[in-house]
Amino acid sequence: MTDLETRVTPSSRAGALRRAAPALLGYAAVRALGLVALAVWSAARDKSAYTLLTARWDALWYTRVAELGYGYEVRLANGDVHSNLAFFPLLPWLERLVAAVSPLSYADGGFLVSLLASLAAAWGIFAVADHVYGRRAGVCAVLLWAVLPVGIVQSMAYSESLFTALAAWALYAVLTGRWPVAGVLALLAGLTRPVGLAVVAAVWVTALASFVRDRRAGEPDGARITPSAPTPAPAPTSASISLHASPDASRVLGMLLAPLGTAAYVLWVGHHTGKGPLGYLDVQAGWRNGFDGGYAFARFVAEKFTSFPSALAGVGLIVGVASVVWLYVVGVRQRQPLPLLVYTGVVTALALCASSYFGSKPRLLVPAFPLLLPLALALARLRTRRSALVLGSVAVASAVYGAFWLNGSGPP
């Protein structure tokens, strides 16, 4: 059995966990460093680090959904209506479940779910990167996700960690041809955040592409026309083989299951508000959220250049967006597997081209972990001492920034 086959088909769950152990231990260490830095910084400012993690911004809205159900709203002086219908239900359901079976509060439940989900997300990211590029790149990918400047969000009672866990394992299921599992995980991701559409798109596009490849492979000239179809990177060739080998019924089942979570909640909101299938868009409009192709964000960046101090922030925003686009282009050039490219493209487009609060955009990009794979590959090629030095330095900077950020403007 080759090393690639071992990665694709672990002998056991225990074996898979042992393979991922360095990544998970490294992730836990980075997040612990971030929490310690937050505790120290918060204590110096006479604030509660735990309150910052569990009872501010979106965390409060999720807790209210868990405690009171849907229907709570806040009417602002400018006429905007902030309704808790904007928040998808899976995290509040889990918070309610934790509170029902333990003495923990809803807020405690949200923190516990995020804590466990962040570890599941780290394992899922490792599984995807290991499957595509190998174990060393998998460890680097997880650590890079841990040291993101806004990585502290992964430890908050928010839905980013839960969604990333579901998305990462759904993508792994697609890569390994487990279509019903991918469909169920996509369904759950669709009950977690609106960007669950990205997981659905990855399942559908990859399934349709595999149907096309199967059909072409069965034609007399199949050998000549196959190269024109989308081809994965050299490393995950066996992944495409597993996709080809998947029974048609299994793929169809996965495709049917994938959109049910998003569709069910959006349709329920439309029925609940009496505004039909598009009712959820009205709810988002009350929060001034919408998809405008990036026009509002571009205006926001342009306005930064009206004065010198803010112009530096404008330059930083442009560099940040350019870096995100560059990483995606590099992923395309490195021929990342189709489901990763589709998923990342949709997550990035929704984050950058939405008219939502601009300070939240870095947080919205947290689930786009495949953007980190080119950097993970580069780090994996370095000697262990060098990569450890780079990641350790960035981890310290990330911990300090996370403590500063959460004690300040934070991640609305």
Side-chain angles (χ1 to χ4, degrees), residues 340-369:
L340 301 188
L341 293 176
V342 172
Y343 168 78
T344 309
V346 176
V347 171
T348 303
L350 290 177
L352 297 182
C353 298
S355 58
S356 56
Y357 178 70
F358 306 115
S360 66
K361 291 192 180 295
R363 172 173 69 86
L364 298 179
L365 285 168
V366 167
F369 68 89

Side-chain angles (χ1 to χ4, degrees), residues 18-19 32 144 158 204 262 270 323 340-341 350:
R18 283 194 297 271
R19 186 176 181 85
L144 284 170
Y158 273 38
W204 271 69
T262 300
S323 299
L340 301 188
L341 293 176
L350 290 177

Side-chain angles (χ1 to χ4, degrees), residues 17-105:
L17 181 58
R18 283 194 297 271
R19 186 176 181 85
L24 297 181
L25 291 173
Y27 177 80
V30 172
R31 291 276 31 92
L33 176 64
L35 292 176
V36 169
L38 176 64
V40 172
W41 194 296
S42 301
R45 293 174 59 88
D46 198 25
K47 292 184 177 181
S48 167
Y50 190 70
T51 298
L52 294 176
L53 292 168
T54 62
R56 292 183 71 184
W57 301 297
D58 288 9
L60 284 175
W61 286 92
Y62 283 119
T63 299
R64 289 192 184 107
V65 173
E67 182 179 5
L68 305 173
Y70 285 106
Y72 177 84
E73 62 184 28
V74 175
R75 295 184 177 272
L76 305 184
N78 64 358
D80 290 346
V81 178
H82 288 183
S83 168
N84 65 0
L85 290 168
F87 296 88
F88 277 51
L90 186 57
L91 178 57
W93 286 348
L94 293 175
E95 290 178 346
R96 186 177 296 177
L97 175 62
V98 171
V101 300
S102 74
L104 298 177
S105 68

Side-chain angles (χ1 to χ4, degrees), residues 22 69 74 78 96 105 117 132 202 207 223 227 238 249 256 277 301 311 349 355 368 391 407:
V74 175
N78 64 358
R96 186 177 296 177
S105 68
V132 177
S238 62
L256 292 176
V301 174
S355 58
L391 289 168
N407 275 276

Side-chain angles (χ1 to χ4, degrees), residues 174-223:
V174 171
L175 289 170
T176 54
R178 297 172 172 87
W179 293 101
V181 174
V184 171
L185 292 171
L187 184 157
L188 293 173
L191 287 171
T192 308
R193 297 182 64 82
V195 76
L197 290 172
V199 188
V200 177
V203 172
W204 271 69
V205 172
T206 309
L208 291 174
S210 66
F211 277 125
V212 171
R213 287 196 296 268
D214 284 352
R215 182 172 180 178
R216 288 180 174 178
E219 295 177 359
D221 301 328

Side-chain angles (χ1 to χ4, degrees), residues 26-393:
Y27 177 80
V30 172
R31 291 276 31 92
L33 176 64
L35 292 176
V36 169
L38 176 64
V40 172
W41 194 296
S42 301
R45 293 174 59 88
D46 198 25
K47 292 184 177 181
S48 167
Y50 190 70
T51 298
L52 294 176
L53 292 168
T54 62
R56 292 183 71 184
W57 301 297
D58 288 9
L60 284 175
W61 286 92
Y62 283 119
T63 299
R64 289 192 184 107
V65 173
E67 182 179 5
L68 305 173
Y70 285 106
Y72 177 84
E73 62 184 28
V74 175
R75 295 184 177 272
L76 305 184
N78 64 358
D80 290 346
V81 178
H82 288 183
S83 168
N84 65 0
L85 290 168
F87 296 88
F88 277 51
L90 186 57
L91 178 57
W93 286 348
L94 293 175
E95 290 178 346
R96 186 177 296 177
L97 175 62
V98 171
V101 300
S102 74
L104 298 177
S105 68
Y106 296 119
D108 296 335
F111 180 71
L112 178 62
V113 169
S114 291
L115 180 66
L116 297 177
S118 68
L119 291 171
W123 192 0
I125 292 170
F126 172 81
V128 169
D130 179 33
H131 178 80
V132 177
Y133 295 119
R135 187 183 191 186
R136 190 177 176 87
V139 172
C140 291
V142 170
L143 295 179
L144 284 170
W145 190 67
V147 303
L148 288 174
V150 294
I152 191 65
V153 172
Q154 299 163 16
S155 300
M156 296 181 68
Y158 273 38
S159 61
E160 271 75 12
S161 290
L162 178 60
F163 175 79
T164 304
L166 294 168
W169 284 108
L171 292 171
Y172 180 74
V174 171
L175 289 170
T176 54
R178 297 172 172 87
W179 293 101
V181 174
V184 171
L185 292 171
L187 184 157
L188 293 173
L191 287 171
T192 308
R193 297 182 64 82
V195 76
L197 290 172
V199 188
V200 177
V203 172
W204 271 69
V205 172
T206 309
L208 291 174
S210 66
F211 277 125
V212 171
R213 287 196 296 268
D214 284 352
R215 182 172 180 178
R216 288 180 174 178
E219 295 177 359
D221 301 328
R224 286 187 297 166
I225 63 175
T226 298
S228 65
T231 55
T237 303
S238 62
S240 63
I241 293 174
S242 66
L243 291 176
H244 287 185
S246 300
D248 289 353
S250 178
R251 273 178 286 191
V252 171
L253 178 59
M255 293 174 70
L256 292 176
L257 289 171
L260 293 183
T262 300
Y265 183 67
V266 169
L267 292 175
W268 179 83
V269 169
H271 174 74
H272 183 77
T273 59
K275 296 183 178 180
L278 300 181
Y280 183 76
L281 297 181
D282 290 337
V283 170
Q284 287 285 7
W287 287 81
R288 294 188 179 270
N289 292 337
F291 188 87
D292 62 1
Y295 174 72
F297 186 40
R299 285 188 57 188
F300 175 77
V301 174
E303 290 171 357
K304 294 295 181 181
F305 291 92
T306 57
S307 62
F308 173 70
S310 64
L312 297 177
V315 172
L317 288 170
I318 292 175
V319 170
V321 172
S323 299
V324 169
V325 174
W326 175 76
L327 286 172
Y328 185 75
V329 171
V330 172
V332 173
R333 289 178 175 174
Q334 291 179 344
R335 302 171 74 183
Q336 285 184 12
L338 181 62
L340 301 188
L341 293 176
V342 172
Y343 168 78
T344 309
V346 176
V347 171
T348 303
L350 290 177
L352 297 182
C353 298
S355 58
S356 56
Y357 178 70
F358 306 115
S360 66
K361 291 192 180 295
R363 172 173 69 86
L364 298 179
L365 285 168
V366 167
F369 68 89
L371 288 173
L372 301 173
L373 293 183
L375 299 178
L377 273 176
L379 277 176
R381 296 187 183 108
L382 298 178
R383 292 183 177 179
T384 302
R385 184 173 299 177
R386 283 189 178 181
S387 59
L389 179 62
V390 170
L391 289 168
S393 301

